[in-house]
Amino acid sequence: MSKFIQAFLSGVFFTFIQDFFLFLGIKQNYIDFYGVDVYYNILFADNQNLFVFIISSFIVGILVIYVKNTKLSIIIVGTLFLLSVSTLIPTIGHKVGEILLMKKNVTYKNSRYTFVGDVYYIGRDKITFYDYELKKIILLDKKELKQ
């Protein structure tokens, strides 16, 4: 049982490092590109998928601890690491950010206006939104919007 816990904790460690670089690339190449006002820690915490993180931790941990072929483990974990670090390349980081965070052609309404455009980032209190009619990025208060 202790080897299983060691595998899980090793997986958490390696997955956390990969996750860090994934979100760092998104922050540098997507969030900063659009001028979204969000701290890295909030971006990391709010957009973390716990289910995917735990499953990935188990898989990586099993690869690191239980697989006897060390070369295979290094190749797989190294490839996963390179994939996560690749988000530091501007075009890749921007595209991954679009896939994970952007919603195209969305309509929001508040008591006075209707907004049609692209959602760049949904934060805790505000939505960073590109309005097609205004042709600029605006911040929408979540509390004022009607669904």
Side-chain angles (χ1 to χ4, degrees):
M1 186 61 150
S2 66
K3 194 170 184 180
F4 180 75
I5 293 171
Q6 181 183 5
F8 177 68
L9 292 176
S10 297
V12 167
F13 175 72
F14 286 114
T15 304
F16 182 77
I17 291 170
Q18 294 168 2
D19 232 14
F20 170 81
F21 282 106
L22 174 77
F23 281 102
L24 180 62
I26 291 171
K27 170 79 168 98
Q28 287 181 340
N29 300 308
Y30 178 80
I31 296 293
D32 292 345
F33 179 81
Y34 289 116
V36 177
D37 186 29
V38 65
Y39 290 109
Y40 176 81
N41 293 345
I42 294 171
L43 171 71
F44 187 82
D46 288 354
N47 295 289
Q48 191 65 253
N49 187 328
L50 191 60
F51 180 72
V52 172
F53 184 80
I54 290 173
I55 297 298
S56 299
S57 296
F58 275 118
I59 293 170
V60 171
I62 288 169
L63 280 170
V64 170
I65 300 298
Y66 284 109
V67 173
K68 299 293 182 200
N69 188 346
T70 309
K71 288 182 182 181
L72 178 66
S73 296
I74 290 172
I75 289 171
I76 293 173
V77 173
T79 302
L80 291 173
F81 181 74
L82 287 175
L83 286 173
S84 66
V85 170
S86 70
T87 60
L88 296 174
I89 299 169
T91 54
I92 295 173
H94 188 84
K95 190 65 177 172
V96 171
E98 281 182 353
I99 291 168
L100 294 178
L101 302 174
M102 182 181 270
K103 295 178 184 171
K104 295 197 177 259
N105 202 20
V106 177
T107 302
Y108 286 117
K109 295 179 183 180
N110 67 11
S111 59
R112 295 173 41 188
Y113 301 107
T114 299
F115 305 97
V116 179
D118 298 334
V119 173
Y120 287 157
Y121 180 73
I122 299 175
R124 292 179 180 177
D125 299 323
K126 303 273 186 193
I127 297 174
T128 304
F129 189 81
Y130 178 81
D131 191 290
Y132 293 153
E133 188 176 315
L134 297 173
K135 295 185 176 147
K136 69 177 191 174
I137 296 174
I138 58 174
L139 292 176
L140 302 175
D141 193 358
K142 282 179 147 181
K143 295 175 188 171
E144 294 178 1
L145 298 176
K146 297 177 185 178
Q147 293 295 342

